[in-house]
Amino acid sequence: MKKIILLFMFTILLTGCSCDYELNISDDKVVENVDISLPYSMDSDDRSKFLEYTKVDNLAVVGGLDNPYYDMSARADNYGDVYNFNYSYDKEHPIKNARTMQSCFEKYKVEETSSYYMFVFRGEFKCKYKFDDVNITVKTNNMVPKHNSTDYDEKEGVYRWKIDSSNASDVDIKLLVQKDKYPEKIKEQSNNLFINIFLIVGILVSIVGGIIFTKKVLNAVDNFQK
């Protein structure tokens, strides 16, 4: 059986790395993307150790008989090499069983119901190690009635948190995402309601106008006959 190594635990021996964690919640789909950046200036021995870890499968979900793993890919940018780990959660492998969440936070609560997702993370962030910083981003087209992000854009549905040496020992992240209300659908419903009201008003105006016009015509006919 292949040796399974937790994704973030790679970094205990690494220095100068950064991590971008993104969770995309669209409708009822949840996709996790983790980018680990290795700068070109990174120590060659540390780079070699990391590359050894990428040669084995990395478990994405705790539990389950089919051992769901991350899909891994690599790319280069102007600063170094970026390794991406991607996984799409579903009913059989829900986001509450994500191994990164269960392993990296001292206290966590991830709950999924038929109407919402709830994320609460507190205490020590266990997976920072030698990361310069960890950037956490949640993107969604769903309604977010509650969160404690200080860097967010509600119109775009983007919520960000940053973990670094100043707060890694006392993380506080809260997010509540609804499943049944989407800004686009609300806007569409509002537009449809406006159109329906406009049509009804237009029909009423036409009817009233028609009655008045008909009455005037009939009066004119009566007067002409006299």
Side-chain angles (χ1 to χ4, degrees):
M1 181 177 179
K2 284 188 175 182
K3 182 179 179 181
I4 300 173
I5 300 177
L6 175 62
L7 170 64
F8 281 127
M9 301 302 285
F10 292 160
T11 59
I12 194 168
L13 299 174
L14 303 182
T15 57
C17 300
S18 65
C19 176
D20 294 315
Y21 178 94
E22 180 179 298
L23 199 64
N24 195 312
I25 304 174
S26 298
D27 302 329
D28 290 328
K29 298 179 181 178
V30 181
V31 180
E32 184 182 51
N33 269 293
V34 184
D35 279 348
I36 296 180
S37 301
L38 309 183
Y40 292 128
S41 58
M42 182 178 179
D43 180 81
S44 59
D45 289 338
D46 285 345
R47 180 182 291 273
S48 297
K49 290 174 184 176
F50 178 84
L51 293 178
E52 285 299 317
Y53 288 130
T54 62
K55 295 178 182 179
V56 298
D57 293 324
N58 298 283
L59 196 63
V61 177
V62 175
L65 300 176
D66 53 348
N67 293 327
Y69 299 103
Y70 282 103
D71 291 326
M72 194 202 78
S73 61
R75 67 182 187 275
D77 60 21
N78 294 331
Y79 304 98
D81 297 315
V82 180
Y83 290 83
N84 174 264
F85 298 83
N86 172 278
Y87 187 77
S88 297
Y89 293 90
D90 52 33
K91 292 182 179 179
E92 294 183 1
H93 305 105
I95 185 62
K96 67 179 182 180
N97 292 340
R99 191 159 186 175
T100 51
M101 296 182 180
Q102 294 191 20
S103 300
C104 290
F105 294 93
E106 180 183 3
K107 300 176 182 179
Y108 73 93
K109 183 175 183 179
V110 179
E111 184 175 308
E112 178 181 355
T113 70
S114 59
S115 46
Y116 66 81
Y117 300 96
M118 181 177 68
F119 303 90
V120 179
F121 304 105
R122 290 179 174 175
E124 181 186 0
F125 182 68
K126 300 178 181 179
C127 296
K128 185 178 186 300
Y129 298 110
K130 299 299 180 65
F131 277 136
D132 289 340
D133 49 63
V134 175
N135 302 302
I136 298 175
T137 302
V138 176
K139 296 181 178 180
T140 182
N141 65 358
N142 298 19
M143 294 291 288
V144 178
K146 188 173 182 179
H147 67 90
N148 67 346
S149 170
T150 58
D151 181 11
Y152 61 92
D153 186 335
E154 289 185 341
K155 185 177 180 181
E156 296 297 326
V158 179
Y159 303 83
R160 303 181 184 89
W161 293 263
K162 185 174 183 177
I163 300 176
D164 55 26
S165 57
S166 67
N167 63 356
S169 61
D170 189 21
V171 172
D172 184 16
I173 297 174
K174 300 184 185 74
L175 180 71
L176 181 65
V177 181
Q178 289 185 324
K179 286 185 176 180
D180 55 345
K181 293 183 179 179
Y182 315 108
E184 291 83 2
K185 290 187 178 180
I186 292 175
K187 183 177 180 181
E188 181 181 346
Q189 290 171 357
S190 298
N191 290 338
N192 289 339
L193 179 61
F194 176 78
I195 292 172
N196 290 335
I197 292 174
F198 181 80
L199 288 174
I200 292 172
V201 171
I203 292 171
L204 291 175
V205 170
S206 298
I207 292 173
V208 173
I211 293 173
I212 294 174
F213 177 77
T214 302
K215 187 175 182 179
K216 286 183 177 180
V217 171
L218 291 176
N219 289 337
V221 170
D222 290 340
N223 291 332
F224 178 76
Q225 289 177 345
K226 292 178 182 179

